[in-house]
Amino acid sequence: MTIPADLKYTSTHEWAKLEADGTVAVGITHHAQELLGDMVFVEVPAVGRKLAANEECAVVESVKSASDVYAPIAGEVVAVNSDVEGSPEQINQDAYGAWMFKLKPDNAADLDGLLNAAGYQAVVDSEAH
């Protein structure tokens, strides 16, 4: 499994990508979608919703289970990916391409507090034991 080096990660298996326009795209990691299995439903937060860091804000459901998705940093939801809502299997096909929502961060520097690829790999490795 490759963990893209240009993204930031949470220990709860979300990824965050700083976009050129200053927004932050958020999705779940490849590892998370592997654990969940075939996605059947995605619920994203409403545009305009203010989120605190680590706040439950979305849900992914697979044939195995449902899992909450947490905001990696604080900010306001400025876009949602309706394609993923309509075709949740996109997350299984390309977890790092299928973003769920975008935030306008309260403080973009908060991204620096998230895990880098090596840090996230250590989280995944620790769960494997």
Side-chain angles (χ1 to χ4, degrees):
M1 169 184 64
T2 58
I3 298 174
D6 62 330
L7 303 178
K8 293 291 192 170
Y9 301 89
T10 67
S11 59
T12 51
H13 308 292
E14 289 84 19
W15 59 261
K17 178 182 181 187
L18 183 61
E19 301 283 4
D21 64 2
T23 62
V24 175
V26 179
I28 64 169
T29 65
H30 181 77
H31 178 70
Q33 71 79 27
E34 268 188 338
L35 292 175
L36 289 164
D38 293 337
M39 295 291 164
V40 295
F41 177 76
V42 174
E43 179 184 315
V44 296
V47 171
R49 180 173 166 189
K50 293 273 196 182
L51 298 173
N54 305 313
E55 180 180 343
E56 292 175 18
C57 60
V59 175
V60 288
E61 287 184 22
S62 69
V63 292
K64 292 183 191 174
S65 67
S67 184
D68 291 321
V69 177
Y70 301 90
I73 61 172
E76 180 182 346
V77 178
V78 293
V80 295
N81 188 346
S82 55
D83 289 348
V84 169
E85 282 186 294
S87 302
E89 67 277 3
Q90 289 181 21
I91 294 173
N92 296 118
Q93 294 160 358
D94 181 8
Y96 297 113
W99 57 275
M100 295 174 62
F101 60 94
K102 291 186 179 181
L103 290 173
K104 180 181 177 197
D106 289 350
N107 182 357
D110 291 346
L111 284 170
D112 297 337
L114 300 178
L115 299 168
N116 63 14
Y120 181 66
Q121 182 66 58
V123 169
V124 171
D125 291 347
S126 72
E127 289 180 356
H129 300 291

